[in-house]
Amino acid sequence: MPTFQIHYFASASTYTGKQTEHLAAPLPLSQLFDTLEALYPGIREKVLVSCGVSLGEEYVDVNGDDGSVVVIGPGDEVAIIPPVSSG
């Protein structure tokens, strides 16, 4: 089965108990949060609402507000990145 790799950082890693895993591809980017919510109930409200998402090396808009349809393909890398602060 084709897959993509997803990396979890900080609170996302803590919530899932994983740093990385493979999920089935292709997957429309707009369905990513629904897929993660099905795997980890409560993650949307507790973690994902404040996270950035990257596909490859670029941040992407999971909601597709710009009207484009982005699909996560086999072999792609996705990262869930909680807000970062510095002092």
Side-chain angles (χ1 to χ4, degrees), residues 17-70:
K18 300 176 182 178
Q19 292 182 347
T20 188
E21 71 179 314
H22 287 85
L23 298 176
L27 178 70
L29 182 63
S30 62
Q31 293 179 13
L32 178 62
F33 284 4
D34 291 338
T35 299
L36 294 175
E37 180 68 23
L39 292 170
Y40 307 103
I43 194 171
R44 182 188 308 265
E45 181 182 328
K46 298 218 184 322
V47 177
L48 300 177
V49 294
S50 62
C51 287
V53 176
S54 68
L55 175 58
E57 296 182 6
E58 293 187 31
Y59 278 94
V60 290
D61 179 6
V62 173
N63 298 317
D65 291 338
D66 63 0
S68 65
V69 176
V70 176

